[in-house]
Amino acid sequence: MVALFYLLPILTCLYLYETMGTILEPWVYPVCVVSSWALTALIHWLMYKVRVSDDEYLGSFISSVAHEDAWTELIPYVVQVPVGKDSRGNTIYRQETRIREFFHPETWMMQSNIGSRHYISRKFYLSIVNTWQTPSYGYNYTGSHILGGVRYGRSYSFNDILERNREIGMNPMDNPNVCNCFFPMTEEHKYTNKLRNSHSIFKFESISKKKAKELGLFDYPPVKDFSQPCILGREFPQEVYDAFLLLNSWYGAHYQIHVYVICFDAAKGMKIAEQQRAYWEGGNKNEFVVCLGLDGDVVKWSHAFSWMDEPTLAVKTEDYFRDHEQLDMIAFCYWLRENLSSWKRKSFKDFNYLSVSLTPTQNYILLGLVIAINIGIAYLVYYFTQSSIPPTPYSNI
């Protein structure tokens, strides 16, 4: 069907040739074909990106904050100014460059350890600065586009906290001084995941949202104010959530890992863990998901999944819960931290060979758009051609 999309422009040109062949210049036909192909390829590519694009969740932390003073940007623009008339009475113009002023209010920003930048409120900025109690670093930008020639800002760095605690330990999971100044984050990130819509051996059973609700499966929790729960299915003391949040934030970038723990009723059996895996389409490339079957505080079964080539960490985790049936999430979190060397994220470039096709609905939409594009091109050709044809001369009788 894809071939039809790129055949239609040729059929359109044949139609134009049959109806207007003696009127149109030869160059019109390749221009029509190339224009149609370009628009078709763009729409096709956008629909394909929707099919292969996926969201992953990255653990990070605030590495610096900055405040920039208000400033005014000078934006040059050109206007035509009348300066008189020529000998025929036509107005003569000359170009003048003028300056438009654009005011930028003061801003507050934070930067994460993975390089992302986000605007924040003044209140949140001040809470971080007051918590860190570190020296400020002034900076400025200069340029002729700035009113007064310079704009000013100041920043604060979390590295000063780490340097201050270098001798006694910089890990927030070990050092309360660092932990109390640590601002963990969860960020959403787009990446290419051909697995989710490919027709390959990696394709999982399709589970609808309705069926997932009936089975008691979990959706990914939403990210609100850069925070996302990573323990699902059961309530725990806040210190447990904080421990896993620290784990994902502090180690996430270094090991390229994001840990989820999902708690199920043990009576559902281990099959529910495989159904959860299918519902999450195997998980994202950086995820390590631990499913626990609980009977009260006793772990009856465990099953971990990820995209690791060799599931070393998954096997170790399941062995851990066989040896530690009494649930202790803090102890597990610290055990997991000590065994992160067994984790190696799967490179999704290994799946580049997979092909992903558009859905039937997308194909029909694309077909309709391609038809509309070619009708539009034919109409424009006809309109401009008719406009350029001089009127037929006639004689008065």
Side-chain angles (χ1 to χ4, degrees):
M1 189 172 185
V2 174
L4 176 62
F5 303 149
Y6 296 92
L7 180 62
L8 277 174
I10 299 175
L11 298 177
T12 302
C13 286
L14 290 175
Y15 170 78
L16 290 173
Y17 180 78
E18 288 294 325
T19 56
M20 307 175 66
T22 59
I23 300 175
L24 296 180
E25 295 289 337
W27 58 265
V28 172
Y29 300 107
V31 169
C32 291
V33 171
V34 172
S35 300
S36 180
W37 280 352
L39 290 171
T40 300
L42 176 61
I43 299 171
H44 192 182
W45 179 80
L46 291 172
M47 288 183 170
Y48 172 79
K49 289 297 289 183
V50 170
R51 292 279 286 163
V52 301
S53 182
D54 206 354
D55 293 311
E56 64 177 341
Y57 303 94
L58 308 178
S60 61
F61 58 87
I62 300 176
S63 59
S64 66
V65 293
H67 167 241
E68 289 191 5
D69 294 334
W71 63 288
T72 299
E73 183 178 4
L74 304 177
I75 304 174
Y77 64 99
V78 176
V79 295
Q80 301 284 342
V81 180
V83 294
K85 294 183 180 294
D86 61 16
S87 59
R88 297 181 178 180
N90 298 318
T91 303
I92 302 173
Y93 295 90
R94 64 178 172 84
Q95 289 186 345
E96 276 190 9
T97 300
R98 297 181 180 178
I99 301 296
R100 180 186 297 114
E101 295 186 356
F102 184 80
F103 178 74
H104 294 264
E106 60 181 330
T107 55
W108 299 268
M109 293 168 288
M110 66 179 182
Q111 180 166 315
S112 73
N113 65 307
I114 59 176
S116 58
R117 291 168 63 89
H118 307 277
Y119 288 102
I120 57 176
S121 67
R122 178 177 182 272
K123 181 178 179 181
F124 187 42
Y125 166 83
L126 290 176
S127 71
I128 296 172
V129 170
N130 293 332
T131 300
W132 284 357
Q133 293 292 311
T134 55
S136 66
Y137 299 92
Y139 62 89
N140 60 72
Y141 301 105
T142 59
S144 58
H145 67 291
I146 303 171
L147 183 64
V150 62
R151 49 187 275 214
Y152 298 95
R154 63 203 56 81
S155 66
Y156 298 82
S157 175
F158 183 69
N159 279 333
D160 290 331
I161 302 290
L162 301 179
E163 288 297 323
R164 197 163 64 197
N165 290 272
R166 181 172 291 278
E167 293 184 1
I168 57 176
M170 298 185 295
N171 193 323
M173 296 186 73
D174 297 328
N175 188 338
N177 293 329
V178 178
C179 184
N180 292 334
C181 298
F182 190 75
F183 288 86
M185 301 170 61
T186 302
E187 303 181 65
E188 293 183 71
H189 177 258
K190 291 284 185 184
Y191 77 105
T192 298
N193 181 2
K194 288 189 172 183
L195 290 168
R196 58 191 297 253
N197 287 310
S198 67
H199 299 286
S200 68
I201 60 173
F202 304 104
K203 184 70 174 176
F204 289 91
E205 171 194 1
S206 179
I207 298 179
S208 66
K209 283 188 173 293
K210 181 180 179 181
K211 184 178 179 181
K213 187 175 181 180
E214 293 172 354
L215 293 171
L217 303 179
F218 296 87
D219 288 305
Y220 283 104
V223 177
K224 296 181 180 178
D225 297 326
F226 301 101
S227 179
Q228 181 199 48
C230 54
I231 303 176
L232 310 175
R234 179 168 172 169
E235 296 295 324
F236 288 96
Q238 189 60 44
E239 62 176 337
V240 173
Y241 295 105
D242 291 343
F244 278 88
L245 192 58
L246 284 173
L247 178 77
N248 281 331
S249 298
W250 182 252
Y251 292 103
H254 179 72
Y255 286 97
Q256 298 183 50
I257 189 173
H258 196 82
V259 178
Y260 289 101
V261 179
I262 307 179
C263 300
F264 293 101
D265 184 345
K268 292 186 176 182
M270 200 177 295
K271 181 181 178 182
I272 193 70
E274 281 301 319
Q275 290 171 323
Q276 181 67 54
R277 183 184 187 186
Y279 185 52
W280 279 8
E281 298 173 328
N284 290 306
K285 64 181 181 180
N286 67 328
E287 289 174 7
F288 181 66
V289 184
V290 181
C291 298
L292 301 178
L294 301 179
D295 183 4
D297 288 331
V298 177
V299 181
K300 292 293 186 179
W301 55 262
S302 65
H303 181 63
F305 62 84
S306 70
W307 284 104
M308 286 183 68
D309 289 324
E310 297 181 9
T312 309
L313 186 58
V315 172
K316 285 186 175 182
T317 299
E318 292 167 8
D319 287 342
Y320 172 85
F321 282 110
R322 274 191 284 270
D323 296 334
H324 301 80
E325 292 185 353
Q326 194 65 29
L327 183 63
D328 187 336
M329 291 291 283
I330 295 293
F332 170 58
C333 183
Y334 278 83
W335 174 89
L336 193 56
R337 163 195 163 182
E338 297 301 321
N339 286 272
L340 286 177
S341 59
S342 298
W343 165 266
K344 184 179 180 181
R345 179 181 67 79
K346 171 72 173 176
S347 174
F348 269 37
K349 290 182 179 179
D350 295 345
F351 300 121
N352 282 348
Y353 69 92
L354 295 176
S355 61
V356 178
S357 57
L358 301 185
T359 65
T361 300
Q362 285 179 315
N363 278 320
Y364 288 126
I365 291 173
L366 181 56
L367 178 61
L369 291 174
V370 171
I371 292 173
I373 288 169
N374 283 277
I375 291 175
I377 289 174
Y379 173 79
L380 289 174
V381 169
Y382 177 80
Y383 176 80
F384 286 109
T385 301
Q386 291 297 108
S387 300
S388 63
I389 298 175
T392 303
Y394 62 92
S395 301
N396 294 323
I397 300 176

